Amino acid sequence: MYEFSKAFESPRESPIRALFKHLGQPGMISLAGGYPDPALYDVAGLQEAADRAGRDSRACLDYGATDGTPRMKAAVVRLMAERGCETSPPHVIVTTGSQQAFDLVARVFLNPGDRVLVEQPTYPANIQTLRACQARIGSVRTDKDGLDVDALEETLARARADGALPKLIYTIPTFSNPSGATMTLERRLRLLELAVRHRCLIVEDDPYGGLRFSGEPVPSLLSLTSRVAGSSAWVVHLASLSKIVAPGLRVAWAVAPAEIIHRCQVAKQAADLGSSPWTQGIAAEYLASGRLAAHLRRICAVYADKCRALAAGLRSSLGDAIRFDEPAGGMFIWARLSGGLSADDLLAQAIPRNVMFVPGAGFQVEHPDASTLRLSFATPSLEDLAEASRRLGEALHATQSNRPPSSRP
Amino acid sequence: MYEFSKAFESPRESPIRALFKHLGQPGMISLAGGYPDPALYDVAGLQEAADRAGRDSRACLDYGATDGTPRMKAAVVRLMAERGCETSPPHVIVTTGSQQAFDLVARVFLNPGDRVLVEQPTYPANIQTLRACQARIGSVRTDKDGLDVDALEETLARARADGALPKLIYTIPTFSNPSGATMTLERRLRLLELAVRHRCLIVEDDPYGGLRFSGEPVPSLLSLTSRVAGSSAWVVHLASLSKIVAPGLRVAWAVAPAEIIHRCQVAKQAADLGSSPWTQGIAAEYLASGRLAAHLRRICAVYADKCRALAAGLRSSLGDAIRFDEPAGGMFIWARLSGGLSADDLLAQAIPRNVMFVPGAGFQVEHPDASTLRLSFATPSLEDLAEASRRLGEALHATQSNRPPSSRP
C-alpha cells in the first residue's frame, strides 16, 4: 500500500532477532545473544553514579549538546588517553550506542551505490546500516589474526584498476563480533598504510577491546595512527560502554578528525538532536568514580572462565565435529562444523533441546558458509555453559543420524 | 579533503544554533530557545520515578527492545487514550525525541528527489532531516488558523496535474513552532480528506498539544481519523515528553499504521538499536505516577502568564512596529515587524542590549519574509520578559534611527 524508500523496501531482520521468539522457551540456554552478563553489572557503582548525576537536575533534564555533554566528552578524552589515544573534545561525538556512531559516519560519507568493504564475517546490524545507505558491500576474508591484509591489498589494487575503490572499510579488529579474532600489530600497520595509499576511511569498531582475558594487548588502529604518516586523517574509532559497563546506558562515542565529527554532529541534529544528557551524566560520573578498572578486571576474569568452560564443553561434547580458535577476549567463539554439517540443521535440533546459537551465514555478506556458527559465552553461567555443550552434543548426534545415509561422509 | 555524501556536502546550521554563542553573554535574556522553563520541571516527581525505575536494575541496564520497552509503550497507549486516540503497542515506536521519530519516518519513505510539503513557517530541525534525505521541499502558507487548506488543495491539484505529488506533508497543527497557530477543526478534517484523495502521508508533530492555556482543545489529526474514511492509513502522529516533562529524558514516540511502525523499527535497529531503557523506565514510572495532569495544569498557568507578559511588553514597548496573534498555548509568539524593518537588523541591535530572539527567515523554506521573528516566552521569568520587551523597544529605536533616511517610510 505504501511506497517506501528504496532503502527500506524489503527490510531484513537480523539473524539474531530471528531467534528472539525462542528466548522465552522454558529452560532455554541461549548462546545466541551478544549481551554482557547482567550478573556482572556494577549495580552499586552505577546506582552511586546515578545518585551523583541526579543532584544536578538541570544537567539531567535540559537538552544536552548534540555532540555530547562537555562532562561526558571530557570523560571520553580521559578514557581514550588511558587507552593510548591522545584526543580532544572537537574530535569526539557521543552517540546512542556505537550503532548510532556507525550510522552517522555512514550517512555522512555514503551515497547510494558507493562501495564499502567489510570483514567476512562481520557484525550484521552494521550491514543493515550500510544497506540502508544503499551501499555496495564487498567483503575481505579474515582468519584467526583478523582481517587478511594481503587479500585486502589485492582487492584494493583490483578496485583501483577498475575505478571502483571503496569509500570505507569497516573492521572490528579486536575480539571481533562474530569471529573473536584479533588483528595482529603488523596487519594493523599495513591496514593504515593501505588506507592512506587509497584514501579510504577505516572505521574501527572497538566495543570489546577492554575485555581481554589472556595474551598481550594490541594497540588500537587509532593509537597506531601516530606511527603511519597521514593515517590519522583516515581513521574513525568507535567505542562504547555497552559491553564493558551496561548497554542500557546507550552511551558510546566516535573519535575522528574534527571535520568528520562536525558533519556527524550536523547529521545527529537531524537524527535525534542529541542523546540523553541524563544517561551521559550517569556514565560520566561512573567513569569519574574510577571503578571501571577494577570492574573490568572482575568481569574479564569471569569471561575467561566462561570462555574456557564453553571451549572445553564443545570439545568434549562435539569432538572433531566442531573446530574453533579460542579467543583471547570478547564474548564470542566462532566455530565451523566439519563433515559437511550445516549450522541451520544443528540449530533445528538444538532448539527443541533448549539450547541455541546463531548460524554464521547471517554474518557473511558474500558466499555465506553454512558450516559456521557463533556461540556467545558471556551470559550463561558456568553450569549452563557445560549443560549447553552437552545438549549441543545431543543435537549433533540427532543431526548426524537425521541425514540421509548417502550424504554421510 | 573528504568526499562526503551529497546529503552532507554543505551542512547548514540551524537558525537557533547560530545564536548559541551569545547565550553566555552576561545578563543576556534569551527569547530564542524553544526550551521548557527548567524552574517548572517536576524534579521531585522525576526523582521519585527515577528511584522506582532504578529498583529494577536489569530493566535499566540491559538492552531494551528497539521499538521501546513494553512498559513505556503501554504508558504511551494509556496517555494517547486520555488524548482521545485509541491505539495499541504494534502501532507505537518509542524514539529519542520526536526528532528521531521524524528522521525514521523520513528515511523509511523518502528517496532522493521525492517531494514533500511543509508549512510556511515550520520547524527548522525537521527541514534539516528532509534535506539529509535529499527531498525536494515545497511549502504551503499558514495563517492564524494554521495550514491554509485552500492553498494546499490548489498546490496538490497542480502537483497531481504535473505528476509531482508530494509523498509526505509535515504539519505542527497545534501551537506550531514557530507560528504558535492552531489549525481549526474544519481545516483538520479537510486535510485528512486531501491525504486520502492524494494518498499522501501526513506527519502530525504534536509536542505542544498539552500546553493549552486558553480556548477549547481541538482534536488531533490522529483522533480525527475515525471521522474521515480511509484516513487512518495516512497519519503518522509524533508526540513527546520533551516540552511537557523534560527534554533530557529524550523520550518521544510515533503512532502510525503497524506496517509503517515496523519499517521504522527496522530503520531504528540500523540507526541506534534502541533508545535508553533507563530513561524510558523513568518516563514510564513518571506517567504511571499520575502526576502529569497536575504538572500540566501548573505549567500551563505559568506559560499563560508568561505569554501575556511578553505580549503586553511587546505592545507597550514596540507598539505599531510589531504585529502578532497571541497564541492559546505552546511556547512561541510569531511576529512581524512593520514599516519595512528586518528582524536581522533588529537582532543586531538587540544582542548588544542583551536580548535575543530568532529571525523568522530560518523557519521558511521558500520566499523567506525578513520582517518575521519568533519570540519564546517559555524560559524567562515574568520580570525578564518585561525587561526583554523594554530592551527590544530600545533596539527598535536604534534600528529605526540607523536606517538611511531614504529608506524610512
Side-chain angles (χ1 to χ4, degrees):
Chain A
M1 150 145 204
Y2 303 105
E3 195 196 322
F4 291 110
S5 74
K6 289 203 181 70
F8 292 97
E9 256 166 14
S10 356
R12 309 192 201 194
E13 287 281 317
S14 84
I16 296 134
R17 290 184 69 88
L19 296 169
F20 276 9
K21 58 179 176 290
H22 304 293
L23 269 181
Q25 194 169 299
M28 174 61 77
I29 303 175
S30 174
L31 309 174
Y35 316 129
D37 182 353
L40 297 179
Y41 292 145
D42 182 3
V43 174
L46 284 164
Q47 194 52 62
E48 263 180 52
D51 291 346
R52 275 196 304 279
R55 278 178 215 146
D56 186 350
S57 62
R58 286 213 39 194
C60 295
L61 299 177
D62 281 353
Y63 283 103
T66 299
D67 54 340
T69 66
R71 214 169 136 62
M72 185 62 214
K73 290 185 74 165
V76 166
V77 168
R78 283 193 302 274
L79 181 60
M80 293 308 298
E82 290 169 21
R83 294 179 177 182
C85 302
E86 294 301 324
T87 187
S88 62
H91 294 256
V92 172
I93 186 166
V94 180
T95 57
T96 302
S98 287
Q99 188 69 38
Q100 186 182 46
F102 187 73
D103 184 57
L104 295 175
V105 172
R107 290 173 80 177
V108 154
F109 275 93
L110 300 178
N111 293 309
D114 276 351
R115 287 162 205 280
V116 298
L117 288 175
V118 302
E119 294 169 316
Q120 168 93 325
T122 191
Y123 173 57
N126 283 352
I127 296 299
Q128 283 187 297
T129 305
L130 293 170
R131 287 199 175 118
C133 292
Q134 300 175 63
R136 281 188 273 192
I137 310 169
S139 68
V140 181
R141 67 168 177 266
T142 62
D143 57 27
K144 69 176 180 36
D145 293 327
L147 185 68
D148 181 335
V149 184
D150 287 331
L152 174 66
E153 186 160 11
E154 277 168 41
T155 301
L156 290 173
R158 225 176 18 246
R160 176 155 227 158
D162 298 345
L165 275 173
K167 220 166 178 181
L168 180 158
I169 300 173
Y170 170 63
T171 174
I172 311 163
T174 309
F175 315 134
S176 164
N177 177 5
S179 81
T182 293
M183 206 188 302
T184 60
L185 175 63
E186 186 243 333
R187 287 189 179 187
R188 288 177 191 230
L189 293 169
R190 283 185 58 209
L191 174 58
L192 292 174
E193 287 160 10
L194 289 171
V196 174
R197 190 186 318 155
H198 297 288
R199 303 177 62 79
C200 178
L201 197 71
I202 307 287
V203 180
E204 173 181 44
D205 195 359
D206 187 29
Y208 306 104
L211 298 181
R212 177 173 288 279
F213 42 71
S214 70
E216 282 305 305
V218 187
S220 66
L221 291 163
L222 179 66
S223 70
L224 291 171
T225 54
S226 59
R227 290 172 57 178
V228 178
S231 65
S232 66
W234 298 105
V235 172
V236 174
H237 177 95
L238 314 183
S240 173
L241 298 183
S242 293
K243 309 302 183 186
I244 60 174
V245 179
L249 289 166
R250 310 303 298 118
V251 173
W253 57 90
V255 181
E259 191 184 350
I260 296 177
I261 294 296
H262 174 67
R263 301 283 161 145
C264 288
Q265 179 251 308
V266 172
K268 189 165 162 64
Q269 255 180 274
D272 67 9
L273 289 183
S275 300
S276 172
W278 197 335
T279 58
Q280 288 180 66
I282 298 169
E285 288 291 347
Y286 186 77
L287 292 175
S289 74
R291 294 175 69 114
L292 182 61
H295 172 67
L296 281 176
R297 280 193 299 276
R298 186 169 74 96
I299 67 176
C300 285
V302 175
Y303 287 146
D305 289 343
K306 290 187 175 200
C307 181
R308 267 180 238 119
L310 179 60
L314 292 174
R315 280 192 209 102
S316 129
S317 300
L318 288 88
D320 288 345
I322 195 165
R323 284 168 301 170
F324 55 88
D325 294 302
E326 227 173 295
M331 299 185 162
F332 304 106
I333 288 179
W334 178 249
R336 249 183 201 79
L337 300 174
S338 39
L341 285 175
S342 99
D344 279 331
D345 290 345
L346 181 63
L347 183 63
Q349 294 295 338
I351 288 173
R353 289 172 176 80
N354 265 341
V355 59
M356 65 183 190
F357 56 84
V358 190
F363 299 91
Q364 301 172 60
V365 293
E366 296 179 306
H367 322 299
D369 180 345
S371 75
T372 56
L373 59 160
R374 186 192 81 173
L375 306 119
S376 171
F377 49 81
T379 318
S381 66
L382 292 174
E383 296 67 35
D384 278 356
L385 288 165
E387 174 62 18
S389 304
R390 208 189 52 70
R391 293 179 190 173
L392 282 174
E394 285 182 16
L396 175 76
H397 293 306
T399 313
Q400 287 169 330
S401 41
N402 270 2
R403 296 168 78 203
S406 64
S407 75
R408 289 192 197 161
Chain B
M1 148 151 209
Y2 302 105
E3 195 197 320
F4 291 110
S5 73
K6 289 202 182 71
F8 293 96
E9 255 166 14
S10 354
R12 312 193 198 192
E13 287 281 318
S14 84
I16 296 135
R17 290 186 68 89
L19 296 169
F20 276 10
K21 58 179 177 290
H22 304 294
L23 269 181
Q25 194 169 301
M28 174 61 78
I29 302 175
S30 173
L31 310 174
Y35 316 129
D37 183 352
L40 298 179
Y41 292 145
D42 182 2
V43 174
L46 285 163
Q47 195 53 61
E48 263 180 52
D51 291 345
R52 274 195 305 276
R55 279 179 214 146
D56 186 350
S57 61
R58 287 214 36 196
C60 295
L61 298 177
D62 281 352
Y63 283 102
T66 298
D67 54 341
T69 65
R71 215 168 134 63
M72 185 62 214
K73 290 185 73 165
V76 166
V77 168
R78 281 193 303 272
L79 181 59
M80 292 308 298
E82 289 169 22
R83 294 178 177 182
C85 302
E86 294 301 324
T87 186
S88 63
H91 294 257
V92 172
I93 185 167
V94 180
T95 57
T96 302
S98 286
Q99 188 69 38
Q100 185 182 47
F102 187 73
D103 185 57
L104 295 175
V105 172
R107 290 173 80 177
V108 155
F109 274 93
L110 300 177
N111 293 309
D114 277 350
R115 287 162 207 278
V116 300
L117 287 175
V118 302
E119 293 170 316
Q120 168 93 324
T122 192
Y123 173 57
N126 283 352
I127 297 300
Q128 284 187 296
T129 305
L130 293 170
R131 288 201 175 115
C133 293
Q134 300 176 64
R136 281 187 272 192
I137 310 169
S139 67
V140 181
R141 69 169 175 266
T142 63
D143 56 28
K144 68 174 179 40
D145 293 327
L147 185 68
D148 182 334
V149 184
D150 287 330
L152 175 65
E153 185 159 11
E154 278 168 39
T155 301
L156 290 173
R158 227 175 17 245
R160 177 154 228 160
D162 297 346
L165 275 173
K167 220 166 177 181
L168 180 158
I169 299 173
Y170 171 62
T171 174
I172 311 163
T174 308
F175 315 135
S176 164
N177 176 4
S179 79
T182 293
M183 205 188 303
T184 60
L185 176 62
E186 186 243 333
R187 287 189 179 186
R188 290 178 190 228
L189 293 169
R190 282 186 57 208
L191 174 57
L192 292 175
E193 286 160 9
L194 289 171
V196 175
R197 190 186 318 156
H198 296 289
R199 302 177 61 81
C200 178
L201 197 71
I202 306 289
V203 181
E204 172 181 45
D205 196 359
D206 186 30
Y208 305 105
L211 298 181
R212 175 174 290 277
F213 43 70
S214 69
E216 281 306 303
V218 186
S220 65
L221 291 164
L222 178 65
S223 70
L224 291 171
T225 54
S226 59
R227 290 173 54 180
V228 178
S231 65
S232 66
W234 298 105
V235 171
V236 174
H237 177 96
L238 314 183
S240 172
L241 298 183
S242 291
K243 310 302 183 186
I244 59 173
V245 179
L249 289 167
R250 311 302 300 119
V251 173
W253 57 90
V255 180
E259 190 184 352
I260 295 177
I261 293 296
H262 175 67
R263 303 283 161 143
C264 288
Q265 178 251 307
V266 173
K268 190 165 161 65
Q269 255 180 273
D272 68 8
L273 290 183
S275 300
S276 171
W278 197 335
T279 58
Q280 287 181 67
I282 297 169
E285 288 291 349
Y286 186 77
L287 292 175
S289 75
R291 293 175 69 115
L292 182 62
H295 173 68
L296 281 177
R297 280 194 298 276
R298 186 170 74 98
I299 68 176
C300 285
V302 175
Y303 287 146
D305 289 345
K306 290 187 175 200
C307 181
R308 268 180 237 120
L310 179 60
L314 292 174
R315 279 191 209 102
S316 130
S317 299
L318 288 89
D320 288 344
I322 195 164
R323 282 169 302 171
F324 56 88
D325 294 302
E326 227 173 296
M331 300 184 160
F332 305 106
I333 288 179
W334 178 250
R336 250 182 200 82
L337 300 173
S338 38
L341 285 175
S342 100
D344 280 330
D345 291 345
L346 180 64
L347 183 64
Q349 294 295 337
I351 288 172
R353 289 172 177 80
N354 265 340
V355 59
M356 65 183 190
F357 56 83
V358 190
F363 299 91
Q364 301 171 60
V365 292
E366 296 179 305
H367 324 299
D369 179 346
S371 75
T372 56
L373 60 160
R374 188 193 78 173
L375 307 119
S376 170
F377 49 81
T379 319
S381 66
L382 291 173
E383 297 67 35
D384 278 357
L385 287 165
E387 174 62 17
S389 304
R390 209 190 53 70
R391 292 178 190 173
L392 282 175
E394 284 182 17
L396 174 76
H397 293 306
T399 314
Q400 286 169 330
S401 40
N402 269 3
R403 298 167 78 203
S406 66
S407 76
R408 291 192 196 161

